[in-house]
Amino acid sequence: MNGTLLFITILYTVVTVIGVGVYFVIIASTKKGKAEGGANAPIEKLERAEPMWAVFALVVVTVLFVATLGGVPWNNRAKADSTVDVKALQFAFVVQPATVKAGNVDFKVTSADVSHGFGLFDPDGKMVSQIQAVPGVTSTLSTKLEKAGRYKILCFEYCGVNHAQMIGQIEVTK
Amino acid sequence: MTTSHVLPAGTLPYDDSPRLDPATVARTESLVKRYWWTSTLFLLIAGLLGLVLRSYQAGLDDLPGNQTDAANLWYALMTAHGLGAFVAWAAFFLMGTLLWLLMRLGFPLRTYVFAEISYWAMVIGTLGIVVSTVFLGFAASWVALYPLPFHSAGQWTDTATFIFSFSVLLAGVSIIAWCVALIISVTGPAISGEQKTGWFGRLGLALGFGLMWPSRFKSDRETPYPIIPITVIGINMFFMTLPFALLLVLMIVQTIDSGFTTDPELAKNLLWAFGHPVVYLLLFPVVAALYYFIPRYAKRPLVFGKVVVLAWTIGMLANMFLWAHHMYMDYPDGSNQSFLNMTHEPITYLITLPSALSLFGLGATIYRSNFEWSPGSMFMVAGIIGWLSAGFQGVINATIQFNVAVHNTLWIVGHFHHMALLAMGMVIFGVFYAAAPTLLRRELHSQTMAKIHFWGMLIGGYGWVVCWLGQGLDGAPRRYDRLPDGFGWDIWTKLSIPFMLILAVAILVGIYNIWRTATGSPWRVKDPATAV
Ligand SMILES: [Cu+2]
Ligand SMILES: [Cu+2]
């Protein structure tokens, strides 16, 4: 699991436990509600809280938007130490050069036929990054490759019958 | 049994539906039942395909032919399963259900023509999809992935692409005809009563503007909250089905004239302009159903203010400009797509507003109420929790930085099964349990079976979905007939199988219960809403 995926796992688990926990409290409260005939619920208070809740939701997504701007791939490119051309086609990746030195590597990805996906996995099998390979045009994926070894390229967009067998590779040296 | 004017226990609790004309009720009910039974049949077929797909991934079953034939059949079944489960079952069931809800709320169909067109277009379209995929091998997935339909690697012909495109177009016609039926119904005289209001004024009332600006939007009757999401989805799908319909027409032209091609990125934008809103073709009707039933179970009106009305208007507008969040990983050098992606991220965040406020208001309505717990309400509350927990995944997917890590992984597959089955599907079954006694005039066949259905779906469903989520977080890509060795991904697939079987048995028990209920002996009593 790479860093972003680990972060997502933790974030999602925490937020979901809180949210579902609140709903369990609501469900449990109906036991008391039944005993009281539903007479003692703080309805006006909850109704007044609606605008505050809307503001809270907006603040959360705004914070999320600003905090993750730095992770938008096309806005954040380091100067490349080397460049690799990748041509995807049904059902293979043509990678040139086949070996590259560790560092900031730009992949220039294109497709000769249909849409493919360029999904890069490090020698430990962890996902590094991905980009769509669009037919007829070039797309640039900037990566920082630190580990030496054999990286695998998995096709990350369904492209036909042998999509699952479409695996390429690139060698990274120190 | 004697004739009485009050329905027995088990019917819709605390119904305050307006007095209805018995002929209208009878006609709407027979139409809605047709939607219900046909869509349930499609669920059986689509569910069976799903079982075959996941078992094949786990290496438990084989498909006929050599490895290539088997793989193409797998992808063809995947194409059929997606459209079948999502559109031909869930959307179709809810489309029918909304016609019933509208009637109960005092907005019966003003013409049955569009509802009939919608029904038949969906049935014929679904059959065409089955023919083109299962029998003719069309396997480009439901999103078509243009230009893949025309690069089949020898697996299917242009004829298959033609039949597929035409059939999906029919499903689009079905959706648009249904939207027209909805809009005609909610903008009828019932929305404003004796007040003189123009068509746009009545549309405003249907969007709940009368709750915000009562002096500007006048009516004798407060707009019932469920009418708001119904109107929103009617407007949204009327417009957002059109771009996909255009793409399908372009594909049909290409099957006839192979020199005629479309730009792949344009095609993808056209597809997703429909592909995101169509999720709300399930969610918004589900929300309408919750707005209708939850206050009846809680025995009090919905705890809502005015902000929720505003949130729905924002949601309706946002829904038409957020599709590029499915294309975050498309940013070719020098193209404008990255700009579009960047603008659609905050717009996508905005659409969390109607969800956030609905989850708040529904929770507030249930809180410390004298809530009636029954199969219907249990399924619905479980659906609300599913909506909440799957909704958070949606926010993660909508965030570009996170999307890099999860795009096209099995996390996404986990997300939409979670949303479609454990949120919206739960509410669909809840609607059945809540509405069946009233609609079918029969008592539920078995409470025990309903409980087995509930707990089986909950335990099986969450176990099954968590395996996909975990697999995706481990980096496993989606749409692989079989995952490659050496990544340790197969363990998740195998783990999911027992949960999937529990889920399948639970749903079968549920459908059997529904069928036995429908074929049981009817009550010889009148619905209070129609009794004069
Ligand atoms: Cu591929
Ligand atoms: Cu979307």
Side-chain angles (χ1 to χ4, degrees), chain A residues 52-66, chain B residues 352-353:
Chain A
M52 290 309 297
W53 174 246
V55 170
F56 174 74
L58 281 176
V59 168
V60 169
V61 290
T62 308
V63 168
L64 189 61
F65 177 68
V66 174
Chain B
T352 58
L353 267 184

Side-chain angles (χ1 to χ4, degrees), chain B residues 394-413:
Chain B
V395 177
I396 285 170
N397 304 342
T399 305
I400 298 172
Q401 179 177 1
F402 300 151
N403 194 269
V404 179
V406 295
H407 184 79
N408 275 352
T409 67
L410 287 170
W411 158 276
I412 302 294
V413 177

Side-chain angles (χ1 to χ4, degrees), chain A residues 2 8 12 26 32-35 46 52 55 68 81 101 111-112 125 132 135 143 156 166-167:
Chain A
N2 72 28
I8 291 171
Y12 176 70
I26 292 172
K32 208 170 172 189
K34 200 173 194 82
L46 288 166
M52 290 309 297
V55 170
T68 58
D81 302 319
K101 262 183 96 78
S111 164
Q132 289 277 306
T143 61
F156 251 61
M166 186 168 157
I167 300 177

Side-chain angles (χ1 to χ4, degrees), chain B residues 316-485:
Chain B
M316 177 181 72
L317 297 173
N319 196 10
M320 302 200 239
F321 302 98
L322 47 58
W323 69 82
H325 65 226
H326 292 266
M327 298 179 66
Y328 286 158
M329 295 304 105
D330 288 64
Y331 49 98
D333 301 351
S335 100
N336 295 324
Q337 189 65 42
S338 54
F339 174 75
L340 200 63
N341 296 350
M342 206 66 246
T343 54
H344 283 198
E345 187 189 41
I347 300 177
T348 304
Y349 287 147
L350 278 184
I351 207 146
T352 58
L353 267 184
S355 291
L357 287 165
S358 297
L359 288 164
F360 177 82
L362 290 166
T365 308
I366 301 168
Y367 184 66
R368 278 179 85 172
S369 68
N370 182 9
F371 199 77
E372 180 178 306
W373 290 104
S374 67
S377 60
M378 281 164 74
F379 268 94
M380 284 188 202
V381 173
I384 293 175
I385 292 176
W387 178 16
L388 180 83
S389 48
F392 291 142
Q393 296 158 1
V395 177
I396 285 170
N397 304 342
T399 305
I400 298 172
Q401 179 177 1
F402 300 151
N403 194 269
V404 179
V406 295
H407 184 79
N408 275 352
T409 67
L410 287 170
W411 158 276
I412 302 294
V413 177
H415 165 64
F416 63 69
H417 280 91
H418 189 165
M419 195 50 127
L421 200 65
L422 302 179
M424 305 184 286
M426 278 291 198
V427 176
I428 285 176
F429 287 118
V431 165
F432 171 78
Y433 287 112
T438 311
L439 176 62
L440 306 175
R441 309 216 186 306
R442 284 159 170 88
E443 200 157 352
L444 188 60
H445 170 68
S446 162
Q447 295 284 332
T448 311
M449 282 190 196
K451 286 202 179 100
I452 294 171
H453 181 194
F454 178 79
W455 290 107
M457 249 186 105
L458 216 56
I459 296 163
Y462 277 93
W464 169 75
V465 151
V466 162
C467 291
W468 266 320
L469 293 172
Q471 214 166 10
L473 289 171
D474 213 4
R478 71 188 281 198
R479 294 191 180 126
Y480 271 44
D481 61 336
R482 277 180 177 156
L483 287 162
D485 296 329

Side-chain angles (χ1 to χ4, degrees), chain B residues 104-145:
Chain B
R104 301 295 300 186
L105 290 162
F107 301 87
L109 286 179
R110 293 166 69 209
T111 160
Y112 291 87
V113 174
F114 294 103
E116 289 290 349
I117 293 174
S118 175
Y119 176 84
W120 288 107
M122 186 64 84
V123 170
I124 299 167
T126 303
L127 295 178
I129 289 163
V130 172
V131 168
S132 59
T133 54
V134 179
F135 299 106
L136 299 178
F138 180 88
S141 92
W142 87 264
V143 289
L145 290 162

Side-chain angles (χ1 to χ4, degrees), chain B residues 87-239:
Chain B
V87 180
W89 170 53
F92 201 30
F93 182 96
L94 288 163
M95 284 159 72
T97 300
L98 279 207
L99 303 179
W100 183 78
L101 267 187
L102 278 173
M103 179 204 54
R104 301 295 300 186
L105 290 162
F107 301 87
L109 286 179
R110 293 166 69 209
T111 160
Y112 291 87
V113 174
F114 294 103
E116 289 290 349
I117 293 174
S118 175
Y119 176 84
W120 288 107
M122 186 64 84
V123 170
I124 299 167
T126 303
L127 295 178
I129 289 163
V130 172
V131 168
S132 59
T133 54
V134 179
F135 299 106
L136 299 178
F138 180 88
S141 92
W142 87 264
V143 289
L145 290 162
Y146 184 90
L148 181 56
F150 300 95
H151 290 80
S152 76
Q155 295 299 312
W156 65 85
T157 61
D158 278 359
T159 308
T161 300
F162 176 89
I163 296 174
F164 178 83
S165 307
F166 188 76
S167 306
V168 178
L169 193 58
L170 277 177
V173 168
S174 166
I175 293 170
I176 290 179
W178 176 79
C179 292
V180 172
L182 289 194
I183 298 295
I184 291 178
S185 162
V186 297
T187 57
I191 195 84
S192 58
E194 297 295 305
Q195 301 281 340
K196 279 263 172 289
T197 312
W199 189 82
F200 281 101
R202 295 200 298 272
L203 188 67
L205 281 169
L207 288 168
F209 292 171
L211 299 164
M212 278 197 293
W213 303 293
S215 57
R216 175 91 178 66
F217 292 87
K218 289 199 181 80
S219 172
D220 298 343
R221 182 189 179 196
E222 237 177 47
T223 301
Y225 280 109
I227 294 296
I228 301 172
I230 293 176
T231 308
V232 167
I233 199 60
I235 294 172
N236 275 166
M237 292 319 294
F238 179 83
F239 289 110

